[in-house]
Amino acid sequence: MDRLRIDKWLWAARFFKTRSLAADEIGKHRVQVNGEVAKASREVKPGDKVTVRLGPFTREVLVRGLSGQRGPAPVAQQLYEETPESLAAQAAVREQRRLGSEPALSIEQGRPTKRDRRDLESARRGNWDNRWSASLDDDE
């Protein structure tokens, strides 16, 4: 076997869980072979450079072997070699995500925390009836 469809290779190399997912991502132009946008029927051979965009990561790998069937992860990792630039970019993205702020901390609305709930309950039980009001009294 000297050539293999890119969707089948991506599935066998465990980039995607199913071939249909691989074909969908290829259809969305998230996979390139040797710098060109690939189609699912595109054939790859050892030595080709494949670029796959997976969420925030862009992985760039060199095809080292071909396999028509999906095997265990250690065997799948022997089908490709990740480029040093890709590894450095992944490390930079991981570090940026680690140092970034927690998005949930900026949420000011939604379900109250336990402390907020206690504050609300104490306010309800508290002096709400004794507060000054701008309304007119019925006595006058």
Side-chain angles (χ1 to χ4, degrees), residues 11-139:
W11 167 74
R14 293 184 168 261
F15 284 96
F16 298 103
K17 195 168 185 172
T18 64
R19 274 183 67 186
S20 62
L21 285 176
D24 289 344
E25 294 299 307
I26 292 168
K28 294 176 185 174
H29 303 291
R30 294 181 181 162
V31 177
Q32 296 179 349
V33 178
N34 296 328
E36 299 175 359
V37 175
K39 292 185 178 179
S41 61
R42 170 78 187 254
E43 292 184 339
V44 292
K45 60 187 182 311
D48 284 347
K49 184 189 289 188
V50 177
T51 306
V52 182
R53 196 171 68 209
L54 301 167
F57 300 111
T58 299
R59 296 182 69 180
E60 192 172 286
V61 297
L62 296 172
V63 178
R64 290 291 174 217
L66 302 175
S67 175
Q69 59 185 356
R70 189 175 170 107
V75 174
Q77 289 173 352
Q78 294 175 357
L79 296 178
Y80 62 90
E81 176 186 339
E82 192 132 11
T83 62
E85 297 86 17
S86 176
L87 292 172
Q90 282 184 29
V93 169
R94 275 195 219 104
E95 185 68 16
Q96 184 180 16
R97 288 179 70 191
R98 187 181 72 80
L99 295 175
S101 65
E102 174 64 33
L105 296 176
S106 65
I107 297 174
E108 294 182 11
Q109 60 192 18
R111 187 173 179 175
T113 63
K114 191 170 188 176
R115 177 180 288 172
D116 294 338
R117 183 180 51 78
R118 287 181 177 164
D119 291 342
L120 287 170
E121 286 178 3
S122 68
R124 284 188 194 128
R125 280 184 269 131
N127 299 329
W128 282 99
D129 296 335
N130 300 333
R131 298 188 80 177
W132 176 81
S133 174
S135 64
L136 294 173
D137 291 336
D138 293 335
D139 311 0

